[in-house]
């Protein structure tokens, strides 16, 4: 039984075929890294899993995507509910122009939760789980923009954790951050694995090797190789995978 | 060679920009200076006609009155000196025409040679009298005393409740009705236009299909270019009769009609600026909200509107700015009564409408003429405050965004 499963999924932006027949399975409580040269469709695949691509005009999707064995593109699926289950962290930190507290509470509030003490408890827990609590506990009512880039990104992770999703999608979450912040995020991913299924896009090979259990290599819209991370990095089966991880292109 | 040429061109453009910038600023300053210099003479002058004085009985303890009080006195609105802080005597008006009520023609004399003495006698014999007479009939032996007329002050002008710039014997310049008229019409225009404009902006920016948006946007921008007379005409033909019937009023030309027309005229400004502000909300902000399970409307109300609130405010204020300065359309539909409005369904008159309606009949350099220029200054100050507010808000916006 897989947590996430895509079966022969293709995606078109207008006429442009961005994903070709992708079949991929991910188990619960694993970290899967999506790697590949830029423009190969990693973000597109990630956004397929919480239906973020629906926002873009002229997108056509073929095949099926199952989460917890349910087709998320089936008729009658409520997108809001899907997105509550599948949290997302973006490439650039994108906190709301609100206080630190309200940023984390946002997901709860839009889901109709108004119990003050419950919200407070969830906000604190989420900030603790995203390793930000110690740094912000004295300034929860300050604007989120006062935080550093790395702190903002952990705030965005806390924001995603607050609504208790079971899957977290991360699109190059550390690419805009300094090495120390990056290390903190990686550590965090490692800890979150116990509770969440994580899919992370990264262009950083070392990062993929450090944090992930499984790695998928994409190349111009195709899934070239998908295997245990250790296998991919020590014993790639495909020549193009080998070229990419050894830095010969990309 | 080419380099030198382009350098020269750059220099030339800089100089031209500099010159045109300073000339424009200079002209603006000159205009303001002109307004003030034309109008400032109003203050410190007496609002009575030259050559006339007001005389009262020697025993009268009231020594001076301002224009508004004199107006009320001559209109018979105030009938007892005690209301002016004097003795409890009822006020008796005396004009030159009344002289025959007191004296025969023989007593006055064939050539009015006894007139000064007659006037003196009347004023002396009736304690409550106030006589409005020509100065040349008052001689050294006059038994009464002259009632002083207060000079026009800034306070009288700004807070005076009566606007009768052409009244006899005193003109009254109290701009409060006009200020309030402007204020009422503008406030209700914005109360009506802001929700409507904002809703339209949200619809265009976030909800409408791109084809609908592409049709709607140019149409709305076109609305801004329609001359205000056309709006006024529309108001006169459609809105005014509607209000008259709907509220069963004697006349439909009311503050309410003005508000509706001004609101409609402010709509394009509000819609265009708000829509631009809404569109500047970064895509990542919207996606973050949606990714947390918020639906489209929650995203609009909790993220997009707060993010674009200062742009929306700027749009609303600029809309008000247009409403405050608007002349023609308001002139046509508000009924032009310079009285303090107590309800929205009463006729009012705004500052610009007053200037437009009265400047033609005011003799140049006279008090009436000057008072209209002061009104212009007031209008200028109000719009300046409005524009500074916009500047302040958009500057704050820039700081938040960066
Ligand atoms: N909104 C879009 N509209 C049209 N084409 C897009 C859009 N987003 C991405 N693409 C195209 O799809 C391909 C995959 O993009 P993406 O998934 O962002 O790649 P990656 O994240 O691997 O760099 C690219 O060729 C890109 O140009
Ligand atoms: Mg990408």
């Amino acid at each position: 039984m897989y947590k996430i499963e895509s079966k022969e999924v293709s995606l078109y932006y207008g006429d442009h075929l961005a994903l070709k027949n992708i079949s991929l399975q991910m188990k619960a409580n694993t970290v899967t890294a999506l790697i590949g040269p830029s423009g190969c469709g990693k973000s597109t695949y990630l956004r397929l899993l919480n239906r973020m691509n629906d926002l873009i005009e002229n997108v056509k999707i073929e095949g099926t995507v199952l989460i917890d064995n349910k087709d998320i593109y089936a008729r009658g699926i409520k997108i809001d509910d899907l997105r509550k289950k599948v949290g997302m962290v973006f490439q650039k930190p994108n906190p709301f122009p609100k206080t630190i507290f309200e940023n984390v509470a946002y997901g709860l509030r839009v889901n109709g939760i108004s119990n003050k003490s419950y919200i407070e408890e969830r906000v604190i827990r989420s900030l603790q789980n995203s390793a930000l609590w110690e740094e912000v506990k004295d300034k929860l009512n300050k604007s989120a923009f006062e935080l550093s880039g790395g702190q903002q990104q952990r705030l965005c992770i806390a924001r995603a954790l607050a609504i208790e999703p079971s899957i977290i999608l991360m699109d190059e979450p550390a690419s805009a951050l300094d090495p120390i912040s990056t290390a903190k995020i990686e550590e965090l991913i490692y800890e979150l694995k116990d509770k969440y299924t994580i899919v992370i896009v990264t262009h950083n090979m070392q990062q993929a090797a450090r944090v992930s259990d499984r790695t998928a290599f994409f190349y111009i819209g195709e899934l070239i190789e998908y295997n245990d991370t250790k296998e991919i990095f020590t014993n790639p089966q495909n020549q193009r995978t080998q070229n990419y991880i050894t830095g010969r292109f990309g | 060679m080419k380099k030198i040429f382009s350098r020269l061109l750059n220099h030339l453009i800089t100089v031209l920009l500099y010159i045109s910038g300073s000339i424009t600023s200079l002209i603006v300053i000159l205009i303001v200076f002109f307004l003030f210099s034309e109008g400032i003479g109003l203050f410190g002058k007496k609002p009575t006609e030259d050559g006339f004085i007001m005389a009262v009985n020697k025993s009268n303890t009231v020594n001076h009155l301002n224009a508004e009080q004199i107006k009320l006195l001559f209109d018979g609105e105030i009938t007892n000196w005690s209301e002016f802080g004097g003795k409890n005597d009822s006020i008796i008006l005396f004009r030159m025409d009344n002289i025959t009520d007191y004296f025969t023609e023989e007593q006055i004399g064939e050539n009015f040679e006894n007139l000064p003495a007659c006037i003196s006698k009347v004023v002396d014999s009736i304690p409550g009298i106030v006589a409005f007479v020509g100065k040349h009939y008052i001689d050294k032996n006059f038994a009464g005393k002259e009632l002083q007329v207060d000079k026009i002050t800034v306070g009288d002008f700004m807070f005076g409740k009566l606007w009768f710039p052409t009244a006899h014997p005193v003109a009254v310049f109290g701009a409060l009705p006009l200020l309030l008229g402007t204020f009422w019409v503008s406030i209700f225009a914005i109360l009506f236009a802001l929700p409507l404009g904002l809703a339209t902006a949200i619809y265009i920016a976030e909800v409408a299909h791109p084809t609908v948006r592409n049709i709607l946007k140019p149409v709305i921008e076109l609305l801004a270019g329609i001359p205000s007379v056309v709006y006024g005409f529309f108001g006169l033909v459609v809105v005014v009769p509607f209000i008259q019937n709907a509220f069963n009023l004697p006349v439909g030309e009311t503050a309410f009609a003005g508000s509706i027309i001004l609101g409609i005229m402010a709509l394009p400004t509000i819609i265009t600026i708000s829509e631009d502000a809404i569109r500047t909300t970064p895509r990542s902000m919207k996606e973050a909200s949606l990714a947390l399970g918020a639906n489209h409307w929650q995203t609009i109300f909790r993220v997009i509107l707060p993010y674009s609130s200062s742009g929306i405010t700027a749009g609303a204020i600029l809309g008000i700015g247009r409403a405050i300065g608007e002349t023609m359309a308001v002139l046509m539909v508000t009924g032009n009564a310079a009285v303090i409005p107590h309800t929205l369904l009463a006729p009012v008159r705004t500052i610009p409408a007053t200037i437009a309606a009265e400047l033609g009949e005011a003799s140049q350099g006279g008090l009436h003429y000057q008072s209209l220029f002061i009104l212009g200054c007031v209008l200028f100050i109000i719009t300046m405050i409005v524009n500074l507010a916009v500047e302040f808000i958009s500057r704050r916006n820039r700081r938040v965004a960066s």
Side-chain angles (χ1 to χ4, degrees), chain A residues 13 16 18 38-44 56:
Chain A
Y13 289 116
H16 175 63
S38 104
C40 68
K42 307 180 297 288
S43 298
T44 302
I56 299 163

Side-chain angles (χ1 to χ4, degrees), chain A residues 47 52 83 94 98 106 110, chain B residues 284 287 289-290 298 302:
Chain A
R47 294 160 62 90
M52 250 337 164
R83 290 183 184 146
N94 55 352
K98 299 177 189 288
Y106 183 87
V110 295
Chain B
S284 67
E287 287 190 343
S289 170
L290 294 169
Q298 288 173 322
R302 290 169 184 257

Side-chain angles (χ1 to χ4, degrees), chain A residues 47 52 55-57 80 83-84 86 88 90 94-98 106-107 109-111 159-160 163, chain B residues 210 213 283-296 298-299 302-303 306-307 400 402:
Chain A
R47 294 160 62 90
M52 250 337 164
L55 301 176
I56 299 163
E57 281 157 31
D80 312 350
R83 290 183 184 146
K84 280 162 209 165
V86 186
M88 186 163 199
F90 297 80
N94 55 352
F96 300 123
K98 299 177 189 288
Y106 183 87
R109 294 203 197 281
V110 295
N111 286 315
R159 187 172 68 178
I163 50 172
Chain B
R213 173 186 309 154
R283 193 193 171 83
S284 67
M285 212 66 88
K286 288 192 240 178
E287 287 190 343
S289 170
L290 294 169
L292 289 166
N295 64 33
H296 193 181
Q298 288 173 322
T299 303
R302 290 169 184 257
V303 175
Y307 191 89
V400 168
S402 61

